[in-house]
Amino acid sequence: MSRFNTRTAKPSVVSPVTSSGERSVTHQGGAGYLRDAKSELFLLAVANFVAQESFYETGGQRDDRFSALVRQLAVEDPLWTAGLLGWLRGDGNMRTAAIVGAAEFVKARLEDGKGETAVPGVSNRAVVDSVLRRPDEPGELLAYWTARYGRNVPKPVKRGIADSVQRLYSGKSLLKYDTASKGYRFGDILNLVHAAPDAGKAWQGELFRYALDRRHNPDTAVPPASNRTLTAHRALMAVPVAERRALVTGPEGAARLADAGMTWEALAGWLQGPMDAAAWEAVIPSMGYMALLRNLRNFDEAGVSDEVAEGVAKRLADPEQVARSRQLPMRFYSAYNAAPSLRWGYALEKALTASLANIPVLGGRTLVMVDTSSSMEAGFSRDGTLMRWDAAALFGIALGQRCADVVSFSSARYYVSDKPGARTKAFPQPRGESLLKAVGRWKDGGWFLGGGTDTAAALRLEFKGHDRVVIVTDEQAGTDTQEVTAAIPATVPMYTWNLAGYRAGHAPSGSANRHTFGGLTDAAFRTVPLLEAGHDAKWPWENKA
């Protein structure tokens, strides 16, 4: 077989992340390509856990760049920016970035004199409403606004929050999120935005009055008799401490907790004692998907029975519940690492597989290059337990199990200065191997190489007539005698999956077989078959239109 793929190039197709035409350098000093403002914002937004440090940028630098891009595009193309922010909080599953983005969007448009009807189809109020999906998020947006711009909250922000309050506030949400630890309580928000009850929810007026009374007169506030959850919770709170554990472990304990909207966090405080197996088994039936996923270690340490664990595992593995939960694939890998017991492994494997359902089986031979240089050691999760290269390995191996040769790469010069060229290491994939086991084997078996980022040299070394190349990386390639884009023939598609969102990329993007994607879910992979079939690709929210 010839070393290079010499097939005839297909008609050029375009993808949304587009180079601006301006050249630059990467943080490692390699040849770099700047993207247009939309592309730069998209790649940064889908990788930006607000205030989180990266290898080459402080959290503050990233946040400032994000805010500046949102403000620029809110004025230049508000319809596109509104679509991005709504999608970012929804399918993009990036919570804080979407909330910050909505605040900056409104601020920029108001400063530019753009009122609610200045651009057809774009409403500042609707943008605020679109990013608020959880009952504590109206308070988070208000906290961000007042900390950055003062207590004079403009009408579009108030009205957008008021719209979201009608959707989000209920008896259960009040019990879970209206706590003293929040900067803005439900009553504070209702006072500030003057939200009217939803006309279709006859009970909401009483709920709003109770939220206000609970905030300002907590000792005398009485929940409305019409709200069964709040009255059940009040009755539960009145049970003497000495009798509470017996109530929980009794035959109706689980039902009592569910009826009262008792979360596991609240239960731990209410019992005023340890969360033993009986306590967990009583609250597990009413726990949400994410709460189950985060507490597997606690279940094991408390000694939850195998019968109850089997029910938890069944819920975790259910593809419909996985889809509804919108958990990032890395959540399942993190849960697998945290749980000491093997009884969760199969369920987490099935859940992870379901969360990666968009990864296609591609025809021909695919080369997947996973960047495991030192810059990919930047934190991926807020608690620091996952690195960016954990995500790169997971997505690279998942694609490799379906249709690819997988290679880890960094730089040999970091290790042996007199032997230039890329350091690479191929990853063997036994047929039928569990994805979770494969990622663990990758991490424990020396495929994380460290050092610099010799992307072009690695491509020259590993490319052997493949039909396409996928590079999972932060794009911060080092200097080389040849640019990354020139390391393989121009007729071979190269798809860069950017996991960091830095300003300069390692190759052009948008057409001519060079395309860049971003995000921490598998959704980007849907675009590859479209492009190879000769179809132009759109932004994710435009594909749903």
Side-chain angles (χ1 to χ4, degrees), residues 284-299:
I284 279 173
S286 55
M287 289 173 67
Y289 191 95
M290 185 174 181
L292 293 175
L293 194 62
R294 292 175 60 186
N295 280 288
L296 300 181
R297 171 177 287 276
N298 288 332
F299 299 161

Side-chain angles (χ1 to χ4, degrees), residues 33-304:
Y33 291 79
L34 297 183
R35 269 110 23 170
D36 62 31
K38 289 180 181 178
S39 301
E40 183 183 350
L41 175 58
F42 174 77
L43 291 177
L44 177 58
V46 295
N48 188 29
F49 295 98
V50 172
Q52 188 172 26
E53 305 286 314
S54 66
F55 193 86
Y56 294 111
E57 289 180 309
T58 67
Q61 288 172 330
R62 288 173 72 81
D63 293 347
D64 289 346
R65 186 158 62 91
F66 175 74
S67 296
L69 287 165
V70 171
R71 290 167 65 86
Q72 173 189 339
L73 290 165
V75 174
E76 293 179 358
D77 194 337
L79 191 61
W80 180 91
T81 312
L84 165 67
L85 293 172
W87 171 85
L88 190 64
R89 181 61 188 95
D91 290 347
N93 206 17
M94 298 298 285
R95 178 167 168 261
T96 307
I99 292 171
V100 168
E104 297 295 346
F105 177 96
V106 174
K107 181 65 173 175
R109 282 173 52 78
L110 291 177
E111 287 180 348
D112 198 58
K114 299 296 191 293
E116 285 297 290
T117 58
V119 178
V122 178
S123 160
N124 294 334
R125 172 181 184 169
V127 168
V128 170
D129 183 34
S130 73
V131 302
L132 303 178
R133 304 289 185 96
R134 211 172 73 176
D136 58 337
E137 291 173 2
E140 289 191 10
L141 193 148
L142 277 175
Y144 177 82
W145 186 279
T146 55
R148 189 167 173 86
Y149 298 117
R151 301 191 68 82
N152 184 19
V153 182
K155 285 185 178 179
V157 174
K158 289 183 177 180
R159 289 169 177 167
I161 290 174
D163 293 340
S164 72
V165 161
Q166 289 184 336
R167 286 188 293 105
L168 298 171
Y169 282 9
S170 66
K172 286 187 177 180
S173 67
L174 182 141
L175 291 173
K176 183 170 183 177
Y177 294 109
D178 184 37
T179 63
S181 64
K182 303 295 184 182
Y184 280 88
R185 299 284 298 275
F186 280 27
D188 298 326
I189 295 167
L190 292 169
N191 270 333
L192 184 59
V193 306
H194 305 294
D198 188 319
K201 299 176 180 176
W203 48 266
Q204 202 169 56
E206 289 186 328
L207 176 75
F208 284 5
R209 286 190 290 274
Y210 174 61
L212 288 163
D213 202 21
R214 171 183 164 109
R215 178 68 177 106
H216 299 295
N217 304 292
D219 294 334
T220 59
V222 177
S226 60
N227 193 300
R228 294 179 57 189
T229 299
L230 292 176
T231 53
H233 186 269
R234 183 180 178 85
L236 208 57
M237 293 298 104
V239 174
V241 173
E243 300 174 15
R244 292 176 180 179
R245 191 167 295 275
L247 183 149
V248 167
T249 58
E252 302 298 322
R256 291 280 298 269
L257 294 178
D259 290 345
M262 183 73 83
T263 65
W264 71 269
E265 299 97 331
L267 177 61
W270 179 73
L271 286 174
Q272 298 185 26
M275 284 288 288
D276 57 15
W280 278 116
E281 290 176 3
V283 77
I284 279 173
S286 55
M287 289 173 67
Y289 191 95
M290 185 174 181
L292 293 175
L293 194 62
R294 292 175 60 186
N295 280 288
L296 300 181
R297 171 177 287 276
N298 288 332
F299 299 161
D300 284 341
E301 290 179 348
V304 166

Side-chain angles (χ1 to χ4, degrees), residues 302-367:
V304 166
S305 71
D306 287 342
E307 181 182 2
V308 171
E310 185 177 347
V312 172
K314 186 176 181 180
R315 288 180 61 190
L316 292 178
D318 183 346
E320 291 186 5
Q321 294 207 40
V322 173
R324 284 200 301 270
S325 76
R326 296 190 300 110
Q327 296 298 310
L328 294 173
M330 293 303 295
R331 295 278 190 191
F332 301 106
Y333 176 58
S334 180
Y336 176 75
N337 285 337
S341 169
L342 294 177
R343 59 184 176 177
W344 314 112
Y346 181 62
L348 292 173
E349 177 74 20
K350 291 188 69 175
L352 177 59
T353 301
S355 76
L356 295 170
N358 289 313
I359 294 181
V361 176
L362 302 173
R365 296 173 61 237
T366 302
L367 173 63

